Amino acid sequence: MPVSDSVDDRAAADEATDVSDEPGLPINELFESLQGEGTLAGVPSVFVRTSGCNLRCWFCDSYHTSWEPTHATMSLEEIVAEVESYDADHVVLTGGEPLLHEASVDLLERLDERGYHTTVETNGTIYRDAPIDLASISPKLESSTPTPGRDPKGDGEWEQRHENDRIDLERLAALVEEYDHQLKFVVTDDEDMPEILDLLADLRSVADVPVRDGNVLLMPEGATRERLAETRTRVADLAMEYGFRYTPRLHVDLWNDAPET
Ligand SMILES: C[S@@+](CC[C@H](N)C(=O)[O-])C[C@H]1O[C@@H](n2cnc3c(N)ncnc32)[C@H](O)[C@@H]1O
Ligand SMILES: Nc1nc2[nH]cc(C(=O)O)c2c(=O)[nH]1
Ligand code: SF4
Ligand SMILES: [Mg+2]
């Protein structure tokens, strides 16, 4: 998938709300792989990666959809045709933040009509009503914030905006109420745990469905094999200690998170 134009998140959002005859999405890459994360890890899946994000995690493994968004605009017809060219019957809509784009709803409807199982990878700050079989929600912890010392661009320009926007309890509650879900927290070390417990308590106090520990997954931070080797055992131990699930990052282990894996 060639990427050409650059967009920022606002441009992506504007484009998504654009009223044009031929609805489309800014697509960074579209490929088949094994689902690498979460309860469906190992399942052959087609990944549709939109460009543009409303957050800026310092560790983002999809830099070219967030910090430096690039894309080619594809019509929904083109996206569906390319999805259909693969054998997999699971589709993962990810990004960037796929729910930024109104046209993601239309795409999910078209995929649902064709019998695909749909997973949406989302940071949980945006709610949309769509045929989503699994909402794979990854709420962002304080440890994701791009402080000046951790900002990949070096200036800390996004620190405050990221910090203000990373949790929206009402939208998180709407997502878990409406959809089968998993809550997939990126964990570096035990300092992340109190915030996870507090967030779960807050979510349980506002959501009118149960939020089960069995749907809470700890995922090690790491976009390279080397980094993952530093974090994963600690995170697995934390999952056992707290009674949550652990999720691997198979695509990092297998392919070192190369493009289109
Ligand atoms: C690139 S994000 C796209 C979807 C959405 N923006 C989100 O954050 O959930 C896909 C998944 O990768 C996770 N992720 C991103 N960078 C990571 C890293 N360095 N280590 C572990 N997980 C990471 C996110 O938390 C999310 O679960
Ligand atoms: N294989 C593979 N599995 C994934 N699960 C979630 C991913 C994502 O970037 O959202 C992802 C990804 O990028 N590759
Ligand atoms: S929310 Fe997701 S896509 Fe956006 S910066 Fe964070 S990890 Fe990257
Ligand atoms: Mg990824």
Side-chain angles (χ1 to χ4, degrees):
M1 159 66 48
V3 289
S4 50
D5 316 326
S6 274
V7 290
D8 67 16
D9 60 315
R10 290 177 196 280
D14 290 344
E15 181 173 325
T17 51
D18 209 10
V19 184
S20 60
D21 293 345
E22 178 61 3
L25 279 166
I27 299 297
N28 175 266
E29 54 180 359
L30 199 167
F31 58 96
E32 186 177 19
S33 185
L34 301 178
Q35 171 56 282
E37 308 169 6
T39 53
L40 293 174
V43 176
S45 305
V46 181
F47 290 81
V48 180
R49 189 180 305 284
T50 60
S51 195
C53 190
N54 58 328
L55 298 182
R56 291 292 186 278
C57 305
W58 68 267
F59 54 62
C60 183
D61 65 8
S62 301
Y63 186 87
H64 291 289
T65 67
S66 53
W67 290 97
E68 271 185 21
T70 57
H71 74 287
T73 301
M74 289 178 75
S75 71
L76 299 188
E77 276 174 26
E78 288 173 317
I79 296 170
V80 170
E82 200 160 325
V83 168
E84 286 180 321
S85 73
Y86 298 105
D87 285 336
D89 54 15
H90 283 60
V91 177
V92 180
L93 181 62
T94 185
E97 178 44 58
L99 295 183
L100 265 182
H101 311 292
E102 170 72 34
S104 288
V105 175
D106 197 342
L107 176 62
L108 288 161
E109 284 166 352
R110 293 180 193 213
L111 294 169
D112 182 60
E113 282 163 14
R114 287 162 178 78
Y116 286 101
H117 178 284
T118 59
T119 296
V120 174
E121 303 283 350
T122 177
N123 60 31
T125 63
I126 299 170
Y127 177 83
R128 291 191 189 270
D129 184 7
I132 297 172
D133 293 309
L134 176 63
S136 177
I137 309 163
S138 185
K140 291 302 177 292
L141 304 174
E142 190 276 332
S143 57
S144 68
T145 299
T147 54
R150 292 191 299 198
D151 182 333
K153 292 203 156 175
D155 50 17
E157 191 188 356
W158 266 83
E159 180 178 17
Q160 206 51 53
R161 186 165 164 196
H162 179 96
E163 191 53 32
N164 291 344
D165 294 349
R166 67 186 170 82
I167 299 294
D168 184 319
L169 207 53
E170 281 180 19
R171 287 168 176 170
L172 261 186
L175 287 166
V176 300
E177 285 168 2
E178 196 60 35
Y179 302 118
D180 284 348
H181 57 269
Q182 59 189 14
L183 291 162
K184 200 173 53 169
F185 292 99
V186 176
V187 175
T188 303
D189 57 36
D190 55 3
E191 289 178 18
D192 290 318
M193 298 312 294
E195 191 184 352
I196 293 175
L197 298 180
D198 286 348
L199 180 58
L200 287 173
D202 290 347
L203 184 57
R204 285 171 173 145
S205 72
V206 298
D208 60 20
V209 296
V211 176
R212 302 183 197 286
D213 281 357
N215 291 328
V216 177
L217 289 74
L218 306 188
M219 178 161 71
E221 176 247 310
T224 62
R225 283 186 185 125
E226 291 69 26
R227 177 61 181 159
L228 208 53
E230 293 173 355
T231 57
R232 64 183 166 207
T233 308
R234 198 159 54 223
V235 175
D237 289 340
L238 287 167
M240 281 193 287
E241 181 181 339
Y242 285 85
F244 298 135
R245 286 177 70 151
Y246 170 82
T247 171
R249 286 170 56 74
L250 295 179
H251 50 304
V252 180
D253 286 328
L254 293 168
W255 303 296
N256 207 24
D257 209 17
E260 306 203 339
T261 63

